[in-house]
Each structure stands twice: as structure tokens, then as C-alpha cells.
Amino acid sequence: MNKRIKSVMLSTVLLTGLLAGCGSGTTQSSKNSENGGNSKYDLTLYSVNTTDADFDEWLNNVQDATGLKINVIAAPTDSDTRQQKITTILSTGDSSVDILEINDEMSASFKNSGWLDGLNDTVMTDDIRGEFAKGYLEQMITNKEGNVIGVPGYSGYLAFWVNQKIMDNAGITSIDTKEDFKKYMSAASVNGTYGYGGSWEKTYVFNEIAQFVNMFGGDYFDWTRPENKEAIQFLYDMVKNNETPIDQIADKYEQMNPKANDGKYGCWFMWGLGSDYQKAGMLGDDKIHMAMVPSMTDDGNRAIFTDSWSYVLNSASKNKEAAIKFLKYMASEGGMEASYKAFDRYPARKDVAEKVVPDSDPAKEMYTRYASECNVQGRPMLPQTMEFITDMGTIYQSCMKGEISVDDFCKKAQDLVDKYK
């Protein structure tokens, strides 16, 4: 990205952040942080988890384990406002916040900005790094100098989910290969049910586009490859064959999951451990459950994405010693176990997951298989993350509606890669 474009982007974000206002509450006292902190606290954490019912219990655990007194500022719940606020904090050198939680989209934008401290020598040392998903660390939270800039708070796969009742009614026993997948699409798409369901709102569908490209052995940054075209053609054909609904282009996960619970979809991709399905009484081996990602290639390879929110250290922090102590605990077995118990967040370290997650947890077996049997990667993102995601989603929707051809989509997608990369 050239300096002029970066400057324009930063100015826009700062202006938008100011217009949006502060908008965030606190679990302790934001006033302590607004003027450079308060001696009552060792550090200030900007958190996305404050609305969780078990947050206070988690915070007490962290403070007891580390001996730190932590001031907490609650991040805005709206994703756009949250990203604007965090960008403003980091880009202006605001030292009132020491530790922030950022998602993959923000990591892609911030990791090479100089706003975050590298952690290789202090927290994410060689022995610790080896327990995290290598592809995720390298692709999502390692900067161009080779420094890891965050501690992943959990491991969350874009899991493949199936409705077992629909599978049984369709007479399908497994969805292991591309041919199995096609058979299931055809057999399950009857009486108002669709074989596949998605979240195709323009800022959400990026996940599924990239997932299918990976499953077909393509490269999200090279749309001249035939595997990329095959993936998009496959998705388009599902729409054409009435095996997935075109009206899901309006759906985010909030709309997709209730439809899945209502038995409208035979399979889909979704983050997390299935809390929405559990709340609806639909989570179980005979209902909705995770399954192994199908192999869509002749060589049998399987691809899956993992994501996380990561704890990062603001380079402007004046409380580095306390911040490092906090981050070390977050990367430790105790810290990951506390997050698992409080927030239902699967441990990012595979050795910790093996120890602290009980065998009775329905996710453990499948998460273990994903880690060992799949090519685990971080999602393909570029510095102008949301612009890239939104533009790709827009042309994808046009393609699925038949407004442009699959060939046209691939050409436009490559133009976007060239524009933003």
C-alpha cells in the first residue's frame, strides 16, 4: 500500500471514529484510562468479552493468578465501531490502553503498522509457538520481520456442520468426497429443505468463498487458477439447481443459524462450538453436529480455516512489564483453561486442549481430527481488509444472481487482488 493511500485511509478512520463517539462502557472505570491511567491499576485491557456472564469470574481468576490489578474498558459491540475505535487508539499512540483484543481482520491491517510490539522474545517463544497452529500463526499474526504480535485467545474452526436427521432421511451415510457432497445436495434438497445453507451477506460470504477455494485446491490470491473457477462454478451450480437458496445473500450468521435449527439446511460452515444449536436443543449426534470437512480434490486433501481473537500489546503502553506478565498468563495452561471455562473458547494450544478439555466435550474429537487431518490455515486477508472483503462479496453476489458469469467473477476477483495486495 503506498503512503498516500495509507494516509487517506487513516484520516478516514480517525474522522469516522470521532463522529461515532466513544460509545463503550466499562466494567471498572473508563475515566482511569482516559487520562493516561491511574496508579490503582497495573494495566488497562480493552476487551470484547465484558458482556459475557462469566467475565467477572474470569477477570478475578486472571488477577489472582498474576497479582495484577486490571482496569477494563468494554469494546463497542458493533464491529465497525469497534474497529474504528481500536484503530484510533493504536494509530494515535494512545498510551491509556495497554492490552487490546483484536480479530483476524484487524491483525491483517495492524501487524505491519509498527503499532504493536513483537512477542517472540518475551511471550511467544519457540517452545510456546510450536503448540499453536503453524499456518495460523504465520499467516495471521506474524509481521514481515517474523515477529508474532499476538497471543491467540482460542482456536475456532470454520467447522463443517450437518443435520443428521436430514442425512438419514436422504439415505446418506457420509460426506467424504466431492461425489458424496453432490449426492447429498441432490437427495437433501426436497420439500423446502436445501442441501447447503450459507451466510452470504457481502461482508460474511468471504469465509465461504475462501473455504471452497481451499477445498478445491485453489489460491485465493490467484484467480487465474482453474481450481478457483471450479469452486465458484460449484457454488453457482448449487444455486442453479435449487440446492442452496439465493435469498441467503441477505443473511449473516444471525439469520443462518435459526434456519439451520429449523431444519432448512442439510449442511453448512459455521464458526465455534455450536452454542446457538445447543440453546435451541438441536446440538447432538442425532441432530446437528460437526463433521469432517469433505475432500473436494482427487488427492484427498482437506482444508479448514481457524480464527481467533488475539491479545496484543500496544507499542505506546507505559506498562510493558505488567502487560507481558498478563500475556504470559494468557498463553499459559492456566490462562487458556480460564478462558475455556468462562467463555466456552476452545484452547488455541493443542497440548493444553488435550489436558483441559474433557473427553465429554462433543467438540474435542472433531477439533482433534481437524488439527491432525486437515490443512489448517488462517484466512487470506490483505491490509485493507474490510474493503477487500466487501468488494469480493459484492461481485460474488452478482455472480450468484446471474448478473455476471463465473468467468467474469474470476476476472473481477483478480482485479481486486491486484488492487488491494
Side-chain angles (χ1 to χ4, degrees):
M1 185 190 307
N2 64 48
K3 292 181 179 179
R4 180 178 176 275
I5 293 175
K6 189 170 184 178
S7 176
V8 171
M9 282 179 60
L10 180 57
S11 298
T12 303
V13 169
L14 291 174
L15 178 59
T16 306
L18 290 170
L19 292 174
C22 293
S24 64
T26 66
T27 58
Q28 302 268 353
S29 171
S30 62
K31 293 181 180 179
N32 293 328
S33 298
E34 289 169 356
N35 296 305
N38 185 291
S39 59
K40 289 168 49 181
Y41 297 99
D42 297 303
L43 64 84
T44 294
L45 167 68
Y46 199 82
S47 177
V48 299
N49 289 309
T50 57
T51 57
D52 191 284
D54 295 319
F55 181 81
D56 287 343
E57 182 178 347
W58 172 84
L59 182 61
N60 288 335
N61 171 285
V62 175
Q63 293 184 133
D64 290 343
T66 61
L68 297 170
K69 187 66 174 176
I70 301 173
N71 180 43
V72 181
I73 297 179
T77 55
D78 176 72
S79 58
D80 290 336
T81 304
R82 181 173 57 237
Q83 183 147 343
Q84 291 157 7
K85 289 286 291 180
I86 291 176
T87 303
T88 300
I89 290 169
L90 294 174
S91 65
T92 59
D94 183 350
S95 63
S96 65
V97 176
D98 304 295
I99 300 290
L100 305 95
E101 289 181 84
I102 66 171
N103 59 13
D104 292 343
E105 290 84 347
M106 285 186 269
S107 179
S109 297
F110 301 158
K111 64 183 180 182
N112 293 314
S113 64
W115 301 338
L116 304 171
D117 275 7
L119 304 174
N120 286 20
D121 297 330
T122 54
V123 181
M124 299 294 283
T125 51
D126 287 342
D127 55 328
I128 298 296
R129 291 200 301 273
E131 298 298 339
F132 291 89
K134 181 180 179 182
Y136 177 82
L137 286 189
E138 292 179 349
Q139 295 162 13
M140 302 313 304
I141 58 172
T142 298
N143 65 21
K144 59 188 177 183
E145 283 81 33
N147 279 309
V148 177
I149 51 83
V151 176
Y154 64 93
S155 179
Y157 288 104
L158 185 59
F160 185 57
W161 295 85
V162 298
N163 185 313
Q164 188 62 46
K165 183 177 180 181
I166 294 175
M167 282 188 67
D168 292 343
N169 290 340
I172 301 294
T173 57
S174 67
I175 312 172
D176 191 57
T177 66
K178 179 166 59 177
E179 291 307 312
D180 291 341
F181 196 99
K182 287 181 177 180
K183 289 177 183 177
Y184 187 41
M185 292 305 95
S186 178
S189 300
V190 294
N191 301 324
T193 297
Y194 295 93
Y196 181 81
S199 173
W200 284 7
E201 191 272 339
K202 64 182 179 181
T203 61
Y204 276 59
V205 70
F206 158 78
N207 293 298
E208 290 170 66
I209 304 172
Q211 175 62 31
F212 273 83
V213 167
N214 266 10
M215 286 196 299
F216 277 86
D219 180 344
Y220 200 76
F221 295 133
D222 184 1
W223 287 90
T224 65
R225 292 184 56 162
E227 296 91 345
N228 290 36
K229 179 180 177 180
E230 185 182 5
I232 301 303
Q233 187 68 54
F234 190 91
L235 288 159
Y236 177 79
D237 288 344
M238 283 198 293
V239 174
K240 184 178 66 174
N241 296 333
N242 208 34
E243 295 166 348
T244 196
I246 187 59
D247 61 7
Q248 68 195 8
I249 62 173
D251 290 352
K252 299 181 179 181
Y253 296 133
E254 292 86 348
Q255 292 78 43
M256 182 188 78
N257 283 332
K259 294 178 182 180
N261 282 327
D262 289 342
K264 297 295 184 183
Y265 299 145
C267 65
W268 59 96
F269 285 95
M270 179 62 197
W271 298 104
L273 304 178
S275 57
D276 284 354
Y277 316 134
Q278 186 174 34
K279 290 173 184 176
M282 287 298 294
L283 186 66
D285 291 341
D286 60 340
K287 299 174 185 176
I288 291 173
H289 62 86
M290 291 184 201
M292 177 49 66
V293 180
S295 170
M296 308 295 264
T297 59
D298 294 337
D299 59 13
N301 286 339
R302 304 177 195 276
I304 196 168
F305 288 129
T306 186
D307 82 329
S308 187
W309 283 76
S310 294
Y311 295 99
V312 297
L313 175 53
N314 182 1
S315 290
S317 167
K318 299 183 185 305
N319 302 302
K320 296 285 182 74
E321 184 176 347
I324 293 297
K325 192 172 186 179
F326 171 88
L327 290 171
K328 284 184 175 180
Y329 183 64
M330 288 299 98
S332 73
E333 179 177 334
M336 294 208 163
E337 183 174 13
S339 294
Y340 169 69
K341 290 180 176 178
F343 306 135
D344 198 24
R345 298 167 74 172
Y346 202 86
R349 281 177 54 172
K350 56 180 181 289
D351 60 333
V352 173
E354 185 60 33
K355 290 181 181 179
V356 308
V357 179
D359 292 340
S360 58
D361 188 319
K364 186 172 186 178
E365 178 183 359
M366 194 52 63
Y367 266 45
T368 300
R369 290 188 62 194
Y370 284 160
S372 61
E373 299 178 30
C374 296
N375 178 13
V376 180
Q377 300 180 51
R379 291 171 293 165
M381 294 182 180
L382 296 174
Q384 291 176 260
T385 309
M386 292 312 299
E387 294 90 340
F388 182 47
I389 286 173
T390 301
D391 285 355
M392 287 289 284
T394 299
I395 63 171
Y396 176 82
Q397 290 185 346
S398 293
C399 181
M400 294 301 110
K401 289 188 290 184
E403 296 172 351
I404 62 174
S405 68
V406 171
D407 283 333
D408 288 338
F409 170 85
C410 292
K411 181 180 183 304
K412 290 177 181 292
Q414 188 60 48
D415 289 343
L416 291 175
V417 170
D418 294 340
K419 174 182 178 181
Y420 290 114
K421 195 167 184 179

